Amino acid sequence: MDIHDQQDKRRRLNDQLHAVRDFTMGLLYVAAGLFLFLYRRWGLQIDLISRPIEISLGVIVLVYGIWRIVRGIQKNY
């Protein structure tokens, strides 16, 4: 096994780990975005920020999470 095979193997492993991390973090961001939309329907009262800011932040976090999931699936690094 020469040095190029080892480097290629290490690069593929690194890409796989990067994809798993992107996919996992994307799921967490999507969950956080959905929480910002739905927590009031579940009867929770958290009055830290106003509703329009919650919705705006929820959209941003949700879109970012979807982007991370897509990037993890495509493995486009």
Side-chain angles (χ1 to χ4, degrees), residues 25-40:
M25 289 304 297
L27 289 176
L28 290 174
Y29 279 114
V30 167
L34 291 175
F35 177 79
L36 286 172
F37 287 124
L38 301 174
Y39 79 90
R40 289 183 189 241

Side-chain angles (χ1 to χ4, degrees), residues 1-2 4-6 13 20 31 37 48 56 60 69 72 75:
M1 185 181 268
D2 66 343
H4 295 295
D5 289 337
Q6 289 176 345
L13 179 63
V20 168
F37 287 124
L48 296 176
S56 301
I60 291 168
I69 290 171
K75 298 179 185 178

Side-chain angles (χ1 to χ4, degrees), residues 2 5 10 15 18 33 35 37 47-48 52 63 68-69 74:
D2 66 343
D5 289 337
R10 184 177 293 150
D15 286 348
H18 196 96
F35 177 79
F37 287 124
D47 294 329
L48 296 176
V63 168
R68 291 280 302 248
I69 290 171
Q74 289 180 347

Side-chain angles (χ1 to χ4, degrees), residues 31-55:
L34 291 175
F35 177 79
L36 286 172
F37 287 124
L38 301 174
Y39 79 90
R40 289 183 189 241
R41 291 186 185 175
W42 296 331
L44 298 173
Q45 282 298 103
I46 304 172
D47 294 329
L48 296 176
I49 53 179
S50 66
R51 188 65 180 157
I53 294 174
E54 286 175 0
I55 292 172

